[in-house]
Amino acid sequence: MKKIIDRIKSGDFERDDLIAVLSNKNADDDSYLFSLADSVRREKYGRDVYIRGLIEISNYCKNNCLYCGIRRDNRGAERYRLSEEEILSCADEGYLLGFRTFVLQGGEDNHFTDDVICSLIEKIKGKYPDVAITLSLGERGRESFERLKKAGADRYLLRHETADETHYGKLHPVEMKYETRMKSLYDLKELGFQVGAGCMVGSPFQTVENLADDLMFFKKFQPQMVGIGPFIPSSNTPFENESQGTLRDTLCMVALTRLILPSALIPSTTALGTISPDGREMGLKAGANVVMPNLSPKKFRKLYSIYDNKIGTGSESAEGLKILKEQVERAGYEIVVARGDFKE
Ligand code: SAH
């Protein structure tokens, strides 16, 4: 197995090699994989961990993804939307705390037209020219992406969710098309965004072959950022009684992604921290190099409930930055104040 892992690192591998590693049940091999991923990350980024201030701007969503707690049909979700003033004051608070990237994330909320988002980008950048703006607002169409880029957005996160079209169809309603998701990703790349793809691990109907295909997609698409977290069931969704993704499988996906994309910016996700108390430290030790503390106003945080029991007020929150710094240092890394751009 170690030979196969070495081969993946060298770039000379096939889909079957990924399947072999993902289905392997030997803990020693997993440790080998994680430490190899860590050494690749250290070669590129040293001990640096980049922080991104996550601002969850709205949980209104016109989409109906079967896994997501803020899907349109979840009548149990109490909806909120931040005002422009609220978003700008999150940015003020974040800048003081040392954040040099803000991620505006939300459901697909028609209130946030191009005009509204462009004005937000211009205001944040006008006040803080040294920050990077990352958007994570779903599918908007090429013209919209182009306007957002021109207004000064630097990065866009849009997880592909699964690289297998049939599997995609089982996670989404018919009106959501795999093709549209993929086209959006290629459009974003062409328009000059640093692009983030990604997937959930352990989502319903997912096979080990699907996960291997996600990794093959990373190799082909070469995203600058990759978000990988375990699927966690969310109440009041069609998947509420499904089981969650495992820590081991998620860490393996993070580590394999690091071997395949040595320069990628890979967050150790909130979902990883939700399924295990030291999940995020383990993610860092398996090749991740980014954390995304929550900067959203506290009173709305629990409403951005894409899955159950989402953590948000401890070290994963922006106020908890001091605790996070200590945790990261204990794991052997260091939080830096920087935009944390992709290094070729
Ligand atoms: N509307 C935006 C942002 C979605 S939320 C978009 O479409 O990109 C960000 C990510 O959370 C999603 O891409 C999805 O991968 C993840 N997510 C949603 N529901 C989840 C769940 N139940 N468990 C784990 N991750 C989930």
Side-chain angles (χ1 to χ4, degrees):
M1 192 54 59
K2 295 195 172 69
K3 277 208 186 103
I4 299 183
I5 297 171
D6 288 340
R7 222 173 33 236
I8 297 172
K9 180 184 176 232
S10 76
D12 177 25
F13 65 93
E14 286 167 18
R15 181 175 181 264
D16 280 349
D17 296 323
L18 301 170
I19 295 174
V21 175
L22 288 164
S23 19
N24 182 34
K25 293 272 175 291
N26 181 320
D28 279 351
D29 293 330
D30 284 352
S31 303
Y32 180 75
L33 168 67
F34 301 157
S35 63
L36 196 64
D38 185 50
S39 72
V40 170
R41 162 264 207 267
R42 282 173 193 264
E43 256 171 56
K44 283 282 169 188
Y45 289 100
R47 299 176 341 121
D48 292 0
V49 170
Y50 302 114
I51 48 173
R52 321 293 195 199
L54 181 64
I55 308 175
E56 295 158 334
I57 65 173
S58 169
N59 72 350
Y60 283 88
C61 193
K62 64 177 185 222
N63 279 338
N64 229 353
C65 306
L66 275 65
Y67 44 84
C68 185
I70 63 169
R71 67 199 300 268
R72 180 182 72 224
D73 283 355
N74 183 0
R75 307 274 174 242
E78 187 185 331
R79 305 288 167 168
Y80 77 93
R81 164 184 301 135
L82 300 187
S83 66
E84 185 175 90
E85 296 70 46
E86 284 169 320
I87 297 169
L88 296 174
S89 85
C90 291
D92 289 337
E93 192 196 329
Y95 194 87
L96 283 176
L97 287 165
F99 288 92
R100 294 297 175 267
T101 297
F102 299 118
V103 182
L104 307 186
Q105 187 175 76
E108 292 194 19
D109 177 354
N110 285 330
H111 166 83
F112 286 101
T113 58
D114 294 346
D115 285 344
V116 173
I117 301 288
C118 287
S119 143
L120 274 168
I121 297 169
E122 281 154 10
K123 287 192 173 130
I124 298 176
K125 284 240 161 159
K127 197 160 178 192
Y128 305 113
D130 55 336
V131 307
I133 303 272
T134 305
L135 302 175
S136 177
L137 301 169
E139 296 163 13
R140 302 175 66 91
R142 191 181 170 106
E143 289 70 33
S144 169
F145 292 149
E146 198 166 358
R147 284 196 59 193
L148 303 173
K149 185 78 186 56
K150 285 204 177 110
D154 303 277
R155 310 180 186 142
Y156 206 104
L157 306 177
L158 186 72
R159 291 189 180 178
H160 68 287
E161 312 297 358
T162 171
D164 180 282
E165 185 161 8
T166 310
H167 186 219
Y168 192 91
K170 293 179 182 171
L171 301 180
H172 299 95
V174 281
E175 67 273 16
M176 286 186 74
K177 301 271 181 266
Y178 172 80
E179 212 186 299
T180 315
R181 199 76 176 175
M182 286 293 160
K183 180 170 183 307
S184 303
L185 283 163
Y186 282 94
D187 281 344
L188 289 162
K189 197 93 178 282
E190 260 179 48
L191 291 166
F193 282 96
Q194 293 175 44
V195 183
C199 57
M200 290 176 289
V201 179
S203 61
F205 312 107
Q206 187 179 63
T207 62
V208 72
E209 287 79 12
N210 293 154
L211 288 173
D213 286 337
D214 289 322
L215 295 164
M216 294 305 283
F217 170 67
F218 296 150
K219 183 174 156 76
K220 180 170 101 177
F221 182 65
Q222 297 281 318
Q224 286 88 1
M225 302 169 286
V226 179
I228 294 170
F231 161 76
I232 304 174
S234 174
S235 315
N236 305 313
T237 65
F239 294 157
E240 65 181 348
N241 296 317
E242 301 291 328
S243 44
Q244 68 183 25
T246 67
L247 179 65
R248 183 269 167 187
D249 289 350
T250 309
L251 293 173
C252 268
M253 283 295 288
V254 167
L256 288 167
T257 302
R258 172 60 66 202
L259 297 187
I260 295 171
L261 300 174
S263 306
L265 295 156
I266 305 177
S268 197
T269 54
T270 307
L272 198 50
T274 299
I275 62 162
S276 167
D278 52 359
R280 277 189 325 168
E281 288 86 327
M282 294 171 83
L284 293 174
K285 290 182 179 176
N289 62 338
V290 169
V291 284
M292 297 173 59
N294 199 322
L295 269 180
S296 312
K298 269 212 207 73
K299 62 179 170 181
F300 297 121
R301 241 175 244 176
K302 65 177 184 314
L303 299 181
Y304 195 81
S305 165
I306 49 181
Y307 47 79
D308 292 350
N309 308 314
K310 180 165 156 266
I311 52 174
T313 50
S315 63
E316 64 292 334
S317 69
E319 327 77 72
L321 203 56
K322 197 170 163 290
I323 312 169
L324 179 68
K325 275 188 181 143
E326 289 162 9
Q327 283 176 357
V328 166
E329 274 164 33
R330 246 180 286 129
Y333 308 94
E334 196 187 350
I335 287 183
V336 293
V337 174
R339 276 172 50 120
D341 284 296
F342 179 75
K343 293 183 187 167
E344 285 298 335

